[in-house]
Amino acid sequence: EVQLVETGGGLIQPGGSLRLSCVASGFAVSSNYLTWVRQAPGKGLEWLTVIYSAGDSYYADSVKGRFTISRDISKNMVYVEMNSLRVEDTAVYYCARGYIFSHDAFDLWGQGTLVTVSS
Amino acid sequence: QSALTQPRSVSGSPGQSVTISCIGTSSDVGAYNYVSWYQQHPGKAPKLLIYDVTKRPPGVPDRFSGSKSGNTASLTISGLQAEDEADYYCSSSAAAYTRVFGTGTEVTVL
């Protein structure tokens, strides 16, 4: 089955670090571009970061310098390392796959993992 | 990287058409033909409806259509159905390989 499954969410104190994982099934992360998007409770979607098949990555200004996207091709996984977490980083975090027929659209999404930043 | 502007809510009766606007700038919507639209039901992950302004992925009904004029993109839902009640988000490419989502629109079927 073609799917994405995120793990790693939980409760973390402000200033802490967390790494989220996203395992891909049914396709190779090395051949696709993948992204992380988050959604704060009751709020809209916010794009965070993307990693392309060549390995280059880009970030939203809101997380640049704090978040790092990476991948492990051997495990077919994508990660986002989140540092210096703030209360406003509380959200459901989704990973999504880039649609092969578009430069910029995401056709496969995980179920999301909830990150709560609170003391 | 400011969010694209969408109406907070739109509504229509079954069978009617509704249009959701997505207002950006000359640095995002106006600069790229990479506008996509997503449908999100409560508690669910987003679903891709439209990509590259006007194209539909396989399986998306042709009741959903997209367009763009200048810095404004639009999603039209024709023949509104009860299952179309959801939140809708636009997204656009922006400078330096970034993306930006819209503020989101709640569609209510009366």
Side-chain angles (χ1 to χ4, degrees):
Chain A
E1 181 182 4
V2 179
Q3 64 177 358
L4 293 165
V5 178
E6 304 96 334
T7 56
L11 176 63
I12 186 78
Q13 290 191 337
S17 298
L18 201 61
R19 187 180 81 159
L20 305 182
S21 302
C22 174
V23 60
S25 303
F27 71 97
V29 298
S30 59
S31 302
N32 293 265
Y33 60 103
L34 289 108
T35 198
W36 286 93
V37 173
R38 70 184 178 187
Q39 186 169 36
K43 302 297 184 182
L45 302 173
E46 180 186 10
W47 179 79
L48 300 176
T49 179
V50 65
I51 187 166
Y52 286 95
S53 56
D56 50 325
S57 57
Y58 302 90
Y59 298 88
D61 288 345
S62 59
V63 302
K64 193 177 297 182
R66 296 192 302 127
F67 288 14
T68 302
I69 192 171
S70 62
R71 65 185 180 182
D72 186 329
I73 293 173
S74 67
K75 295 181 179 179
N76 216 30
M77 294 183 72
V78 178
Y79 308 95
V80 61
E81 182 80 31
M82 306 185 296
N83 298 315
S84 303
L85 283 164
R86 307 164 180 166
V87 171
E88 55 265 35
D89 293 319
T90 294
V92 173
Y93 286 72
Y94 295 100
C95 67
R97 180 184 70 178
Y99 191 41
I100 62 169
F101 298 112
S102 174
H103 165 78
D104 195 356
F106 301 99
D107 69 322
L108 179 68
W109 294 67
Q111 84 288 352
T113 187
L114 176 63
V115 172
T116 303
V117 184
S118 174
S119 54
Chain B
Q1 295 172 346
S2 298
L4 309 175
T5 300
Q6 297 180 232
R8 184 176 295 272
S9 64
V10 299
S11 62
S13 300
Q16 288 186 329
S17 294
V18 295
T19 295
I20 302 168
S21 59
C22 170
I23 303 172
T25 70
S26 57
S27 297
D28 38 60
V29 175
Y32 305 93
N33 286 320
Y34 295 122
V35 175
S36 51
W37 289 89
Y38 300 86
Q39 177 191 63
Q40 186 181 35
H41 287 104
K44 301 295 187 181
K47 173 189 174 182
L48 179 64
L49 290 179
I50 298 288
Y51 68 98
D52 295 359
V53 180
T54 62
K55 301 175 184 177
R56 280 186 306 276
V60 174
D62 59 7
R63 304 185 291 105
F64 295 92
S65 62
S67 63
K68 190 186 88 165
S69 178
N71 298 337
T72 301
S74 299
L75 173 73
T76 297
I77 310 173
S78 305
L80 200 61
Q81 298 183 4
E83 59 262 37
D84 298 334
E85 190 160 289
D87 293 328
Y88 292 80
Y89 295 90
C90 60
S91 175
S92 172
S93 291
Y97 294 94
T98 62
R99 284 102 177 125
V100 60
F101 278 99
T103 50
T105 298
E106 180 182 26
V107 170
T108 301
V109 181
L110 302 172

